[in-house]
Amino acid sequence: MLQSSNVKSIEKVVIRFSGDSGDGMQLAGNIFSNVSAGEGNLISTFPDYPAEIRAPQGSLSGVSGFQVSVGKNVHTPGDHADVLVAMNPAALKTNLKYLKKGGIIICDSDSFTPANLKKALYQTEDPVAELGIDPEHIMLVPMTTLLKHTLADSGMDNKAIMKCKNMLALGLVCWLFDRPVDKVLAKLKAKFAKKPAVYEANEKVIHAGWDYGHNTHASMPTYRIESDEAVPGVYTDVNGNTATAWGLIMASEKSGRPLFLGSYPITPATDILHELAKRKDLGVKACQMEDEIAGVCSAIGASYAGHLAVTSTSGPGLALKSEGIGLAVMAELPLVVIDVQRGGPSTGLPTKTEQTDLMQALYGRNGESPLCVLAAASPTDCFTMAFEAARIAVEHMTPVILLTDAFIANGSSAWRIPEEKDFPEIKPNFVTPEQLENGWKPFDRDAESLVRYWAVPGMEKGMHRVGGLEKDFNTSVISTDGPNHERMVKVRREKIANIANDIPELKVECNADADTILVGWGGTYGHVLTAATELNAQGVPTALAHFRYINPLPKNALDVLKNYKNIIVAELNTGMFADYLQQHLPGKEILRINKIEGQPFLVEEIVDGVKKNLAKA
Amino acid sequence: MTVTFAPGDFKNEQTARWCPGCGDHAILNVLHKAMAEVGVAPKDTAVISGIGCSSRLPYYMNTYGMHTIHGRAAAIASGVKTARPDLTVWQISGDGDGLAIGGNHFIHALRRNIDINILLFNNKIYGLTKGQYSPTSDRGFVSKSSPYGTTEDPFIPAELVFGARGKFFARGFDITLDTTREIMVAAARHKGTAVVEVLQNCVIFNHGIHTWLSDKEVRAERTITLRQGEKMLFGKNNEKGLVRDGFQLKAVTVGEDGYTIDDVLVHDAHTVDDILHRQLALMDGHDLPLALGVIRDVKAPSYEADVEAQVAEVKAKKGFSNLRDMIMKTQETWTV
């Protein structure tokens, strides 16, 4: 057995819950995360679903995982788990690779039946030995037996009883990490508010799990996880997709423009549609359209009609929307396009994460059609960047593509609920009554920003037509004149470039005086930040620049980067952002760290990547 | 005082750039008149089109308008109307824009029954791309892209409308302008998706495609104009009528073969059951006369009104004052 000791204090811990898709691992993981967040820990979660809705029970392909890191300085869900909960032999087999050396495994020993071992393709009857697991590091808990004892008098049938197994594991983990059971129960009570009998059964089971740990493994160390100092306020936990939806609602409140979403279900973006569909209670019109094209087109119609218009999708859907987005570029209408990136090309890896839509977002339209591209850095940053996307769209009369990804969309963090004053008013560039009196034309624009004015149907004397055909710079009437076209192409380009005057400058983090700067963008922020911190701790001086504004780049970005001897871009693709920077920084060699496995970076991969690049440089 | 409008209020100074003799000129003029009759102000009117000859139309309107991309007019118009139910929204599409590249949006707009007025200009040809067959061209039709004749059957627009559970369908010619104006007005007054098929002549690439039906000499014999509550009579002297013949319709001469005026059917566009409406709409001018006028006009809930009502209901029920209030009341929170 494990060495006995007292309660240990640790900075952060990573726990991975794994089991069959139907085992309720996501729920157990979520409750553990939320309770930890309530205790003041930082959290970062990573749900790792199989692509299949219900793969065969007990099979390797049906294993679902939920990894969470809690504690201090938590910016990622962790490279490897300190504790792995495996509910069956298949989960044990597929998840062992995520366990830290010396980490602890909690496993349901009752699940080691010949049938389960066969389904998980074991050669022997002893999975622990077959996988080479040190028996000292595995807690074999007869979960099924315990469960049946606990609920023997409940009157529940076997199937209903087995559904509570996840709570037994949760009880055990709560004991191990000193989580308050009453808070776990409070969350469960809310979840099963309409099913009191189910709640009562789960309550018993959680206590049983906790007691089992306490009584039989009293010799094992239990842990107290440290907390960060947080900004005072009211907190909740939020995943990236929900935060995106809420950021848009905040932008609607701050702009006075009603929110319209035209969308079509697509993994992993659909939860944005789900959340906004619920938010009819805040006046949101979220419409599930007949296809991706209708999603963007209905949004364009709503935008013309004066709404804050949004369409949400993932990579393949963005491809379908290209022509529509081009129309919004040409008609100079505000439009927010959310692309929750997933593995591609084509259908690719629908449930997995990647950063491979950058080029599509920047260039994936016919003709010269520049637009603003943003990228959110973390689950909670999705709120801020969705707000920013809407602000820029409405104030600069342009489509804005916000890139998030499956990792931050499904991952969650504790989030301080913003107060009224935390976000600025958004000021749409409406045409004024004076302009309308004086012969306003639809493509009249502000001399400095080059933003055209927005006339909304219903305005007297505002009647105007927009469309996909080129317009004359002076008269706003259709024009096929060559020089005029070139002028308009340049005007539209400059209008987007001018957005750089209206976004924050790039801030260098970590060791700004280093010779080497690690560069990231979008959803890898937690990983690159942790890696840069780690590198500095290891004596490799490293600065960090993380980009959330991609087009235009922050005004100071290129000057900042130029000062570094080594620029190393880490990204989940073959080097799209590196190429993009390279084109802006000729003469500087942009070094690269790339991964395209459908999974987020491990911090150690970035740390090693920086070292390898420096060794070559 | 009610403000009234003249056709000129809906017209702008742009010169229409369709070919001389194109049916679109006449339809545009009729639309200006119909809009004046409907009486919704230009500032509260939006005209949305896709791509094609007919889709140039919004540029000749003094209303709000968008000339968009090929096939997407219905989707864009749906967004305009859902966002702003207070606007009167017209969609201008051709047979290619509306039924080929835009077929999906067309049927789904009808299924949702969103309150837009779709003017479907059907000239059975692609004009703007200079003469390819369209989804309404007859089997065997010879065009630049079917030099040996097409080997496919056409859509009958009415059949698509009924298949998509449409609640309003009307048909007119680009030369029977009084009827066409009347049906445009009826379409605008109908709550829900209204499809007006205008059989239109392409003077360059498909000249005379509808002449065998629309020509003055034959029109009375080969078409019938349906009017609500009136007998289904046609012919030069209204001597012919439509009667039931088992499950089918039959054209008879009143007073011959034992048929009297009492046998002739009376048109009711408001009947919910669509069987007779389908039969009327599918008459093609061969054995039975092509039907003009409002064939079907049935009341049903419209999408944007129900969305609006649901928003109001849920808002009132939940009573959240803003985003923060909603989060505080629905999420698990803790204070630091």
Side-chain angles (χ1 to χ4, degrees), chain A residues 444-516:
Chain A
D444 285 351
R445 48 188 88 237
D446 180 89
E448 202 173 309
S449 67
L450 299 178
V451 177
R452 81 172 184 94
Y453 300 96
W454 196 7
V456 171
M459 284 181 177
E460 287 281 4
K461 300 194 177 177
M463 287 85 78
H464 68 284
R465 278 65 54 195
V466 298
L469 286 170
E470 186 63 282
K471 304 295 187 298
D472 183 83
F473 179 86
N474 295 309
T475 64
S476 302
V477 171
I478 301 168
S479 165
T480 50
D481 180 66
N484 174 72
H485 175 54
E486 183 163 329
R487 183 178 188 186
M488 290 297 273
V489 164
K490 286 176 178 166
V491 162
R492 287 187 289 264
R493 177 177 284 269
E494 209 181 320
K495 181 183 84 170
I496 298 302
N498 286 341
I499 296 170
N501 299 320
D502 195 23
I503 57 175
E505 294 207 332
L506 181 69
K507 283 199 192 100
V508 175
E509 296 176 76
C510 298
N511 186 350
D513 298 330
D515 286 342
T516 300

Side-chain angles (χ1 to χ4, degrees), chain A residues 37 187 233 235-236 253 280 285 287 290-291 298 304-305 307 417-418 457-460 462 464-468, chain B residues 12 43 58 61 63-67 79-80 82-84 104-105 112 303 308 310 320 323-324 332-334 336:
Chain A
K187 296 203 185 295
Y235 282 71
T236 186
E253 290 179 0
K280 272 188 173 146
K285 288 180 180 171
C287 300
E290 58 270 22
D291 57 29
S298 61
Y304 182 74
H307 278 43
I417 303 165
M459 284 181 177
E460 287 281 4
H464 68 284
R465 278 65 54 195
V466 298
Chain B
N12 71 18
K43 75 172 177 65
M61 304 297 297
T63 61
Y64 286 89
M66 288 182 93
H67 173 231
V80 173
T82 307
R84 292 282 303 278
N104 198 32
H105 310 306
R112 287 190 186 98
Y303 176 82
E308 194 88 338
Q310 197 174 53
F320 302 134
L323 175 70
R324 187 180 161 89
E332 292 170 29
T333 61
W334 64 93
V336 174

Side-chain angles (χ1 to χ4, degrees), chain B residues 6-115:
Chain B
D9 293 330
F10 296 90
K11 192 175 169 182
N12 71 18
E13 69 287 356
Q14 295 292 312
T15 311
R17 294 211 190 164
W18 293 305
C19 307
C22 174
D24 290 358
H25 293 286
I27 302 173
L28 175 67
N29 285 331
V30 166
L31 180 60
H32 290 147
K33 286 181 188 157
M35 283 183 171
E37 196 172 328
V38 171
V40 174
K43 75 172 177 65
D44 297 320
T45 302
V47 183
I48 313 296
S49 67
I51 292 291
C53 292
S54 58
S55 289
R56 282 287 186 116
L57 189 141
Y59 287 122
Y60 313 131
M61 304 297 297
N62 183 35
T63 61
Y64 286 89
M66 288 182 93
H67 173 231
T68 68
I69 44 179
H70 203 17
R72 313 305 167 205
I76 291 174
S78 295
V80 173
K81 185 67 187 182
T82 307
R84 292 282 303 278
D86 60 307
L87 301 173
T88 293
V89 180
W90 297 79
Q91 178 198 329
I92 314 297
S93 277
D95 39 312
D97 189 63
L99 305 185
I101 188 167
N104 198 32
H105 310 306
F106 180 76
I107 56 175
H108 284 279
L110 282 157
R111 176 180 63 79
R112 287 190 186 98
N113 199 34
I114 186 160
D115 186 18

Side-chain angles (χ1 to χ4, degrees), chain A residues 14 57 103 124 135 148 186 221 254 287 359 386 428 435 488 557 572 594:
Chain A
V14 179
Q57 212 177 14
T124 68
K148 284 183 176 164
K254 290 288 184 180
C287 300
M359 290 301 180
Q435 285 173 303
M488 290 297 273
L572 298 172
N594 305 105

Side-chain angles (χ1 to χ4, degrees), chain B residues 25-214:
Chain B
H25 293 286
I27 302 173
L28 175 67
N29 285 331
V30 166
L31 180 60
H32 290 147
K33 286 181 188 157
M35 283 183 171
E37 196 172 328
V38 171
V40 174
K43 75 172 177 65
D44 297 320
T45 302
V47 183
I48 313 296
S49 67
I51 292 291
C53 292
S54 58
S55 289
R56 282 287 186 116
L57 189 141
Y59 287 122
Y60 313 131
M61 304 297 297
N62 183 35
T63 61
Y64 286 89
M66 288 182 93
H67 173 231
T68 68
I69 44 179
H70 203 17
R72 313 305 167 205
I76 291 174
S78 295
V80 173
K81 185 67 187 182
T82 307
R84 292 282 303 278
D86 60 307
L87 301 173
T88 293
V89 180
W90 297 79
Q91 178 198 329
I92 314 297
S93 277
D95 39 312
D97 189 63
L99 305 185
I101 188 167
N104 198 32
H105 310 306
F106 180 76
I107 56 175
H108 284 279
L110 282 157
R111 176 180 63 79
R112 287 190 186 98
N113 199 34
I114 186 160
D115 186 18
I116 54 180
N117 313 314
I118 301 176
L119 301 188
L120 186 75
F121 292 27
N122 184 4
N123 57 12
K124 301 192 171 192
I125 192 84
Y126 282 83
L128 197 63
T129 48
K130 300 188 172 27
Q132 300 76 30
Y133 70 95
S134 94
T136 55
S137 301
D138 296 326
R139 176 177 278 272
F141 181 73
V142 173
S143 71
K144 283 185 191 159
S145 56
S146 57
Y148 309 112
T150 67
T151 54
E152 54 195 275
D153 281 327
F155 274 144
I156 299 165
E159 212 166 15
L160 273 187
V161 171
F162 287 109
R165 311 179 70 186
K167 306 294 187 289
F168 185 104
F169 179 77
R171 190 187 283 130
F173 282 118
D174 56 357
I175 54 170
T176 56
L177 297 175
D178 281 343
T179 308
T180 304
R181 192 195 70 249
E182 282 168 26
I183 63 178
M184 284 178 180
V185 172
R189 290 185 177 152
H190 171 84
K191 275 296 274 180
T193 311
V195 176
V196 174
E197 181 188 16
V198 185
L199 298 173
Q200 175 246 339
N201 190 44
C202 174
V203 73
I204 306 295
F205 296 107
N206 210 9
H207 189 46
I209 185 68
H210 303 301
T211 314
W212 71 280
L213 293 165
S214 64

Side-chain angles (χ1 to χ4, degrees), chain A residues 101-354:
Chain A
K101 217 176 162 193
I104 300 167
I105 301 166
I106 299 173
C107 199
D108 178 13
S109 54
D110 289 336
S111 70
F112 292 173
T113 62
N116 278 342
L117 293 172
K118 196 177 162 198
K119 274 189 269 188
L121 309 177
Y122 282 91
Q123 308 297 320
T124 68
E125 283 174 11
D126 184 354
V128 176
E130 187 176 327
L131 296 172
I133 297 167
D134 179 352
E136 293 277 302
H137 287 105
I138 186 162
M139 274 173 78
L140 289 167
V141 183
M143 292 194 201
T144 309
T145 310
L146 276 169
L147 196 59
K148 284 183 176 164
H149 280 304
T150 307
L151 296 176
D153 303 329
S154 66
M156 294 162 73
D157 62 23
N158 192 47
K159 201 176 160 193
I161 288 175
M162 292 310 288
K163 275 192 175 170
C164 300
K165 205 163 94 171
N166 58 340
M167 290 301 124
L168 194 93
L170 181 62
L172 200 52
V173 173
C174 285
W175 161 74
L176 191 59
F177 292 104
D178 195 26
R179 303 286 92 173
V181 169
D182 57 327
K183 293 198 175 145
V184 174
L185 293 178
K187 296 203 185 295
L188 215 54
K189 199 162 199 169
K191 161 112 186 139
F192 294 116
K194 287 177 185 159
K195 296 176 183 168
V198 176
Y199 168 73
E200 273 172 40
N202 279 301
E203 182 186 3
K204 278 187 198 158
V205 171
I206 285 188
H207 280 300
W210 172 282
D211 293 346
Y212 178 84
H214 187 70
N215 296 336
T216 62
H217 291 270
S219 58
M220 269 187 63
T222 59
Y223 300 92
R224 189 179 61 244
I225 306 163
E226 291 182 14
S227 301
D228 269 310
E229 293 287 317
V231 181
V234 183
Y235 282 71
T236 186
D237 80 294
V238 71
N239 69 39
N241 274 340
T242 305
T244 301
W246 290 353
L248 296 167
I249 297 173
M250 177 68 117
S252 170
E253 290 179 0
K254 290 288 184 180
S255 64
R257 295 291 90 202
L259 182 58
F260 178 95
L261 176 80
S263 189
Y264 187 76
I266 183 168
T267 304
T270 317
D271 284 339
I272 298 172
L273 168 62
H274 293 168
E275 178 60 23
L276 288 176
K278 276 193 238 165
R279 297 286 82 88
K280 272 188 173 146
D281 57 20
L282 288 173
V284 178
K285 288 180 180 171
C287 300
Q288 178 175 319
M289 299 304 290
E290 58 270 22
D291 57 29
E292 294 280 358
I293 296 172
V296 68
C297 285
S298 61
I300 290 169
S303 168
Y304 182 74
H307 278 43
L308 169 56
V310 182
T311 187
S312 54
T313 190
S314 185
L318 184 63
L320 283 163
K321 293 180 198 296
S322 308
E323 192 191 14
I325 297 169
L327 173 64
V329 168
M330 197 61 156
E332 302 190 46
L333 284 168
L335 174 71
V336 177
V337 181
I338 313 282
D339 174 13
V340 184
Q341 298 171 97
R342 68 188 213 186
S346 186
T347 309
L349 285 71
T351 60
K352 305 296 178 189
T353 200
E354 246 173 44

